[in-house]
Amino acid sequence: EVQLVESGGGLVQAGGSLRLSCAFSGFTFDEYVIAWFRQAPGKEREGVSCISDSDEYTYYADSVKGRFTVSSDTAKNTVYLQMNSLKPEDTAVYYCAATYYAGSLYPKLAEYEYDFWGQGTQVTVSS
Protein backbone atom coordinates (compact mmCIF):
# COMPACT_ATOMS: atom_id res chain seq x y z
CA GLU A 1 0.00 0.00 0.00
CA VAL A 2 1.39 3.38 -1.02
CA GLN A 3 1.58 5.83 1.85
CA LEU A 4 2.82 9.41 2.00
CA VAL A 5 3.10 11.26 5.30
CA GLU A 6 4.01 14.93 5.47
CA SER A 7 5.52 16.67 8.48
CA GLY A 8 7.40 19.82 9.36
CA GLY A 9 4.74 22.45 8.89
CA GLY A 10 4.20 25.26 11.35
CA LEU A 11 4.04 28.98 11.93
CA VAL A 12 6.94 31.14 10.77
CA GLN A 13 7.52 34.84 10.23
CA ALA A 14 7.97 36.27 6.76
CA GLY A 15 11.56 35.85 5.64
CA GLY A 16 11.98 32.71 7.70
CA SER A 17 12.54 29.09 6.71
CA LEU A 18 10.90 25.70 7.16
CA ARG A 19 11.76 22.24 5.97
CA LEU A 20 8.94 19.87 5.13
CA SER A 21 9.39 16.12 5.01
CA CYS A 22 7.44 13.51 3.06
CA ALA A 23 8.00 9.98 4.31
CA PHE A 24 6.91 7.44 1.73
CA SER A 25 6.35 3.68 1.76
CA GLY A 26 4.84 0.97 -0.40
CA PHE A 27 6.93 1.65 -3.48
CA THR A 28 10.50 2.03 -4.63
CA PHE A 29 11.50 5.57 -5.43
CA ASP A 30 13.33 4.63 -8.61
CA GLU A 31 9.96 3.93 -10.23
CA TYR A 32 8.16 7.05 -9.06
CA VAL A 33 8.24 10.83 -9.12
CA ILE A 34 7.26 12.67 -5.96
CA ALA A 35 5.84 16.17 -5.95
CA TRP A 36 4.86 18.89 -3.52
CA PHE A 37 1.57 20.72 -3.97
CA ARG A 38 -0.08 23.38 -1.86
CA GLN A 39 -3.57 24.73 -1.38
CA ALA A 40 -4.29 28.10 0.16
CA PRO A 41 -7.73 28.93 1.59
CA GLY A 42 -10.19 29.64 -1.18
CA LYS A 43 -7.72 28.75 -3.91
CA GLU A 44 -7.09 25.78 -6.13
CA ARG A 45 -4.31 23.37 -5.35
CA GLU A 46 -1.10 24.25 -7.17
CA GLY A 47 2.08 22.36 -7.87
CA VAL A 48 5.24 23.54 -6.15
CA SER A 49 8.03 21.14 -7.06
CA CYS A 50 8.77 17.55 -8.03
CA ILE A 51 11.73 15.20 -7.95
CA SER A 52 12.84 11.81 -9.21
CA ASP A 53 15.12 9.22 -7.68
CA SER A 54 18.72 10.35 -7.07
CA ASP A 55 17.55 13.91 -7.69
CA GLU A 56 18.09 13.28 -11.39
CA TYR A 57 15.03 15.34 -12.27
CA THR A 58 13.69 18.33 -10.39
CA TYR A 59 11.12 20.89 -11.42
CA TYR A 60 9.83 24.04 -9.74
CA ALA A 61 6.91 26.37 -10.10
CA ASP A 62 7.99 29.88 -11.04
CA SER A 63 6.54 31.22 -7.80
CA VAL A 64 9.08 29.31 -5.70
CA LYS A 65 12.18 29.17 -7.91
CA GLY A 66 15.24 30.39 -6.05
CA ARG A 67 13.51 30.11 -2.66
CA PHE A 68 12.50 26.45 -2.36
CA THR A 69 14.70 23.40 -2.85
CA VAL A 70 13.47 19.83 -3.19
CA SER A 71 15.73 16.92 -2.27
CA SER A 72 15.54 13.28 -1.31
CA ASP A 73 17.15 10.74 0.99
CA THR A 74 16.52 7.33 -0.47
CA ALA A 75 17.97 5.55 2.56
CA LYS A 76 15.30 7.20 4.69
CA ASN A 77 12.53 6.97 2.06
CA THR A 78 11.98 10.68 2.50
CA VAL A 79 11.64 13.70 0.24
CA TYR A 80 12.24 17.17 1.62
CA LEU A 81 11.14 20.65 0.68
CA GLN A 82 13.42 23.34 2.06
CA MET A 83 11.55 26.62 2.01
CA ASN A 84 13.51 29.84 2.48
CA SER A 85 12.56 33.50 2.28
CA LEU A 86 8.99 32.59 3.06
CA LYS A 87 6.23 35.04 2.22
CA PRO A 88 2.70 35.34 3.58
CA GLU A 89 1.43 34.14 0.21
CA ASP A 90 3.20 30.82 0.83
CA THR A 91 0.63 30.11 3.53
CA ALA A 92 -1.16 26.89 2.57
CA VAL A 93 -1.63 23.25 3.32
CA TYR A 94 1.28 21.46 1.67
CA TYR A 95 0.78 17.98 0.25
CA CYS A 96 3.16 15.46 -1.20
CA ALA A 97 2.03 13.25 -4.03
CA ALA A 98 3.49 10.40 -6.06
CA THR A 99 3.10 8.97 -9.51
CA TYR A 100 4.52 5.94 -11.26
CA TYR A 101 7.18 6.92 -13.76
CA ALA A 102 7.08 4.78 -16.87
CA GLY A 103 10.42 5.95 -18.18
CA SER A 104 9.26 8.29 -20.88
CA LEU A 105 8.40 11.92 -20.24
CA TYR A 106 8.79 13.10 -16.66
CA PRO A 107 5.61 14.52 -15.13
CA LYS A 108 5.47 18.13 -14.11
CA LEU A 109 3.04 19.70 -11.65
CA ALA A 110 -0.45 18.92 -12.88
CA GLU A 111 -2.68 17.30 -10.30
CA TYR A 112 -4.00 14.71 -12.74
CA GLU A 113 -0.49 13.34 -13.18
CA TYR A 114 -0.33 12.14 -9.56
CA ASP A 115 -2.17 9.14 -8.18
CA PHE A 116 -1.22 9.00 -4.52
CA TRP A 117 -1.53 11.79 -1.98
CA GLY A 118 -0.66 12.49 1.61
CA GLN A 119 -2.89 14.20 4.19
CA GLY A 120 -1.05 17.51 4.15
CA THR A 121 0.75 19.74 6.63
CA GLN A 122 -0.16 23.35 7.40
CA VAL A 123 2.34 26.13 6.74
CA THR A 124 1.47 29.59 7.99
CA VAL A 125 3.66 32.59 7.25
CA SER A 126 2.92 35.70 9.28
CA SER A 127 3.71 39.19 8.02
Side-chain angles (χ1 to χ4, degrees), residues 20-110:
L20 304 183
S21 299
C22 172
F24 60 87
S25 61
F27 62 92
T28 53
F29 192 18
D30 60 358
E31 295 180 332
Y32 281 72
V33 171
I34 294 176
W36 288 97
F37 286 78
R38 66 186 181 184
Q39 188 166 21
K43 294 189 177 181
E44 293 186 353
R45 190 150 52 184
E46 64 168 343
V48 174
S49 181
C50 58
I51 187 169
S52 68
D53 182 38
S54 302
D55 301 5
E56 178 178 319
Y57 166 71
T58 59
Y59 186 80
Y60 295 92
D62 288 343
S63 58
V64 305
K65 278 181 185 176
R67 299 189 299 124
F68 290 10
T69 303
V70 65
S71 63
S72 65
D73 185 335
T74 305
K76 295 183 178 180
N77 277 7
T78 301
V79 167
Y80 302 98
L81 185 68
Q82 178 67 43
M83 306 186 295
N84 299 328
S85 303
L86 283 162
K87 305 174 182 180
E89 51 263 44
D90 294 317
T91 295
V93 177
Y94 283 71
Y95 300 89
C96 63
T99 186
Y100 178 72
Y101 171 57
S104 54
L105 290 176
Y106 279 115
K108 292 187 177 178
L109 296 172

